Amino acid sequence: MECEYFEKINHRKYGELLAETGHWLIILAPDQRNLGTCVVALKRNETELSGLNADEWADLAFVVRKLEFAVKKAFHPTMFNWGCLMNSSYLEDPPSPHLHWHFIPRYQDTVVFHGKTFEDPCFGRSTMHDRGRSMKLSEEFTTKIKNEITKYLEI
């Protein structure tokens, strides 16, 4: 895989790898302002949804079911947001878009996990309204989140 996006993943700039399927990587995002936030990235170079083939779409449907199930069991979110937002790729010169999905668990109620409190003050609205807030955690705490999700992630 010769791709700048995968170089960033390999250097942990985009988070911790949770699992992979034939077509997708499931990565725990470094920003955990919404507990369990992940990125689901295509394992080949592609820039647009229209470029996905039938097998990739079917595999994505599998990932959606498995990831939503695992995070529901782990943290009990109220719902999930999925977004394919590649805007920031075009802030780079030259742009380097790579097809990926943002998986954002949403919580109506506060969640406490290993003594840390997670709140979703934008519940019911887009998280884009709260761009200034982020939560970067220690590697040790991130491992606890990863372990809790992978306990239920049967891929």
Side-chain angles (χ1 to χ4, degrees):
M1 286 182 252
E2 292 182 24
C3 173
E4 186 177 320
Y5 191 82
F6 291 109
E7 282 298 312
K8 291 177 183 178
I9 290 169
N10 289 337
H11 290 97
R12 299 174 110 176
K13 289 183 181 178
Y14 284 161
E16 185 80 28
L17 183 65
L18 295 179
E20 64 182 288
T21 66
H23 299 287
W24 300 93
L25 299 171
I26 304 167
I27 303 153
L28 185 67
D31 182 357
Q32 288 294 302
R33 65 181 150 177
N34 288 73
L35 181 61
T37 297
C38 295
V39 173
V40 177
L42 188 63
K43 289 170 68 173
R44 68 172 178 86
N45 251 339
E46 180 57 61
T47 61
E48 297 177 352
L49 285 172
S50 60
L52 291 177
N53 64 44
D55 289 341
E56 291 164 339
W57 278 113
D59 200 24
L60 179 60
F62 171 81
V63 168
V64 168
R65 283 191 303 277
K66 294 297 187 172
L67 187 55
E68 286 186 358
F69 174 83
V71 173
K72 277 182 191 176
K73 294 292 270 184
F75 307 122
H76 311 287
T78 307
M79 64 172 184
F80 303 102
N81 288 161
W82 283 88
C84 185
L85 309 169
M86 299 191 312
N87 299 328
S88 61
S89 299
Y90 290 88
L91 296 175
E92 300 173 7
D93 187 20
S96 60
H98 184 93
L99 188 59
H100 64 283
W101 292 88
H102 297 264
F103 168 77
I104 306 166
R106 302 303 307 270
Y107 298 89
Q108 188 167 13
D109 299 315
T110 299
V111 176
V112 177
F113 178 69
H114 283 273
K116 183 141 191 73
T117 301
F118 294 83
E119 296 179 305
D120 186 351
C122 290
F123 182 80
R125 297 184 313 274
S126 168
T127 55
M128 295 295 117
H129 290 100
D130 195 24
R131 286 173 119 357
R133 184 177 67 95
S134 67
M135 183 180 288
K136 306 251 183 203
L137 302 167
S138 70
E139 191 173 320
E140 178 184 341
F141 201 89
T142 300
T143 299
K144 290 178 183 180
I145 295 171
K146 176 183 178 178
N147 291 344
E148 191 66 19
I149 295 171
T150 56
K151 183 173 15 175
Y152 304 105
L153 189 60
E154 297 178 7
I155 291 183

